[in-house]
Amino acid sequence: MTRRDQNMRIAAVVHNEVRHDARVLKSASTMKARGHDVRLFGLTAGESESFSLPNGIPVRLEHRDLSDRTPRIVREQLPRGRDSAIWTSFRIQGETVFQAVKAEFVPDIVHIHDHLALAAAGLYKEAFDCPLIWDAHEIYEDLASIEDVRAVVNARIIEQNAGHVDGFVTLNRSIAQFYREQYASLPEAVLVPNAVERVAQTSYDGRLHAAAGVEPGQKILLFQGGFSPHRGIPNLLEAAALLDEQWTVVFMGWGKLEEEIRAVAEETSSRPAGRPRVAIVPGAPQDELLSWTAGAALGAIPYENTGLNHLYCSPNKLWEYPAAGVPILATDMPEMKHKIETHGIGFTVGRELDPREIAAKVNALTDDELATLALNCGSFADVDNWQRYESRLEGLYAKLAGPPTLDEPRRAHDAAVPTAGDGRGAPEDLPGDSPAREEGLLQRVSAGIARLFTGK
């Protein structure tokens, strides 16, 4: 009997605290629902802890302890500097998660999320001799304003561990093309977008308006998620001052720019009570998110064009907003623009993110136009959701669960698994060349990374 014929033991590993990582949670839930023994492992800045998710999936978080970083650099006689410090830090964290898995059970498959946990790929292979799936959520060498030395380390982790990967998962064709051209040893990518689960929507209960302190009839332009740099937050704050009084910009989330947002929200305004320019509320639990999002008239994804990772992004919000019946205002990045325009679920603004353009487009929206966009969102959510794509993930697991034959290496080229290069993607996948090819930037980034490696 092969693993394909029985329930599998699956270790899903990541470098964060799991709770807010929607992609990790959805992937694990899919395999749990199919009867497999799925366990999640991550890292925390606090004390190590174990707990279970509402669906019964156990989670183990290990304390992120970097006290051995400098001694290890000395033991390994590495050159002093940022490169060695980052490289050693990432390896220690990857090994910490690996040790947690090893202490817990022997998995049949390890599902590695993001690049940091990938640093321990060789250890998983040596200890368990099982298939490894790598799920690349980002283009790690060209994150928003990433420093050169970190880009080099991120690329080194992938280059040194790509050969251990048996199944490769990523978000869209543009990102898949980048990895295909940059890392030839990776398997063909299986495309699993950041779609949300299809759920029956109940009527909005007013919770977002109440928490934000705005009157029930006020229109909300919502930004939800991490308050991180390079996500257009300063531009939205400037645009808020130009919006008509019927609009309030609400920020729902957490992160580095919280104080900047809060300072604007607390400024004295001539607006009537219940109609502030800006309001801020805490992030919502993942299982309640859509009930909060549903209070918005428009959802913002104003990412700045600060690297390939943003240029080709297709974030969770691209599905979260429509799933709650909320049209999208986004930067005209190619993957987002294609999805929005194809399905009529919102509109885009220029990549310069001019606050005046943002405000003008929002102010010009009529109630009828918003209603039409919201109806389109409902139709989109019915056909483009996690349930549509999870079979691709299941197919990859089924492929890898069976023993390889002499003429069939354990790689994700099974005909049952749609991949980025086989032309059999879902209809919403971009036909022909990806936006990455059209933008013509991959070669320049590849050359830049090569210069960072060689110093030439």
Side-chain angles (χ1 to χ4, degrees):
M1 178 178 291
T2 69
R3 285 185 295 265
R4 192 185 305 220
D5 303 313
Q6 59 188 343
N7 292 339
M8 290 179 282
R9 298 182 300 273
I10 300 170
V13 301
V14 69
H15 67 279
N16 58 38
E17 295 186 353
V18 174
R19 293 178 178 91
H20 294 292
D21 198 321
R23 185 174 181 84
V24 172
L25 295 172
K26 286 181 294 191
S27 298
S29 295
T30 288
M31 301 312 293
K32 167 74 172 178
R34 302 305 180 268
H36 301 296
D37 178 6
V38 183
R39 309 185 195 188
L40 287 169
F41 301 85
L43 293 171
T44 177
E47 295 295 322
S48 298
E49 61 172 316
S50 297
F51 58 92
S52 292
L53 299 175
N55 61 3
I57 295 178
V59 180
R60 175 63 184 176
L61 301 181
E62 292 293 331
H63 171 64
R64 184 183 284 105
D65 183 359
L66 299 177
S67 60
D68 189 47
R69 181 175 57 187
T70 299
R72 181 164 174 172
I73 290 172
V74 173
R75 289 196 306 272
E76 295 180 354
Q77 298 182 339
L78 299 177
R80 300 179 66 179
R82 287 274 294 155
D83 181 294
S84 294
I86 296 170
W87 169 240
T88 304
S89 169
F90 284 5
R91 287 185 295 146
I92 289 172
Q93 292 177 74
E95 292 162 9
T96 299
V97 179
F98 162 74
Q99 291 296 339
V101 175
K102 186 178 180 182
E104 180 78 15
F105 73 151
V106 176
D108 296 314
I109 290 183
V110 176
H111 191 143
I112 299 174
H113 291 271
D114 286 322
H115 70 300
L116 196 153
L118 185 65
L123 295 176
Y124 291 107
K125 278 292 187 181
E126 181 179 357
F128 307 127
D129 188 28
C130 69
L132 299 186
I133 294 172
W134 181 44
D135 195 331
H137 302 193
E138 319 269 0
I139 295 179
Y140 302 99
E141 301 93 307
D142 204 22
L143 299 168
S145 299
I146 189 173
E147 58 180 324
D148 287 351
V149 65
R150 191 174 291 269
V152 169
V153 171
N154 290 353
R156 184 189 306 162
I157 288 173
I158 300 169
E159 182 66 37
Q160 292 189 357
N161 291 281
H164 297 304
V165 175
D166 302 293
F168 176 47
V169 179
T170 195
L171 310 180
N172 59 50
R173 285 192 177 189
S174 296
I175 295 176
Q177 181 180 314
F178 172 85
Y179 281 107
R180 182 169 61 249
E181 296 185 359
Q182 194 68 33
Y183 302 100
S185 60
L186 282 173
E188 189 73 25
V190 175
L191 302 183
V192 181
N194 277 323
V196 302
E197 294 178 283
R198 182 177 63 245
V199 294
Q201 283 299 297
T202 57
S203 59
Y204 173 58
D205 60 9
R207 67 179 70 187
L208 181 62
H209 284 75
V214 301
E215 61 184 36
Q218 185 75 346
K219 294 176 182 175
I220 289 177
L221 171 56
L222 176 66
F223 179 100
Q224 68 184 31
F227 301 154
S228 301
H230 312 297
R231 292 190 172 186
I233 289 175
N235 308 69
L236 271 187
L237 290 172
E238 287 189 46
L242 304 174
L243 291 177
D244 294 341
E245 283 190 356
Q246 64 181 324
W247 284 95
T248 294
V249 181
V250 175
F251 293 86
M252 182 173 71
W254 62 92
K256 292 182 179 179
L257 301 184
E258 181 173 344
E259 291 308 313
E260 180 179 341
I261 298 168
R262 195 171 299 282
V264 175
E266 293 174 354
E267 288 177 355
T268 302
S269 169
S270 59
R271 283 191 170 202
R275 293 191 170 188
R277 288 197 304 267
V278 174
I280 183 170
V281 299
Q286 192 64 39
D287 59 352
E288 298 179 15
L289 180 61
L290 297 186
S291 296
W292 286 84
T293 305
L298 203 58
I301 317 177
Y303 284 13
E304 299 170 22
N305 185 20
T306 53
L308 286 184
N309 191 57
H310 270 188
L311 183 63
Y312 301 129
C313 71
S314 48
N316 294 310
K317 289 185 279 289
L318 191 57
W319 284 268
E320 289 168 348
Y321 288 137
V326 177
I328 297 169
L329 180 160
T331 318
D332 69 346
M333 308 301 195
E335 292 282 353
M336 291 198 293
K337 182 176 182 179
H338 172 79
K339 187 73 71 174
I340 290 168
E341 293 186 349
T342 298
H343 297 277
I345 54 175
F347 59 92
T348 61
V349 295
R351 297 179 192 176
E352 64 278 7
L353 287 174
D354 185 343
R356 293 168 298 181
E357 182 190 4
I358 295 171
K361 288 196 171 183
V362 173
N363 288 334
L365 284 171
T366 66
D367 290 343
D368 286 345
E369 288 170 335
L370 281 171
T372 298
L373 292 172
L375 284 174
N376 293 344
C377 286
S379 300
F380 171 74
D382 284 340
V383 299
D384 200 315
N385 48 60
W386 180 256
Q387 284 86 342
R388 178 172 190 165
Y389 298 109
E390 63 183 349
S391 61
R392 299 184 182 186
L393 190 61
E394 295 172 52
L396 176 59
Y397 271 93
K399 166 66 179 177
L400 296 179
T405 63
L406 291 177
D407 60 349
E408 180 193 31
R410 188 181 277 153
R411 290 279 172 146
H413 294 290
D414 189 84
V417 184
T419 61
D422 64 7
R424 294 180 294 105
E428 73 284 346
D429 293 334
L430 294 176
D433 284 344
S434 70
R437 176 72 70 186
E438 295 165 9
E439 293 289 336
L441 293 178
L442 293 186
Q443 292 80 3
R444 293 201 291 276
V445 170
S446 298
I449 292 173
R451 286 196 299 272
L452 290 172
F453 274 119
T454 62
K456 297 179 181 179

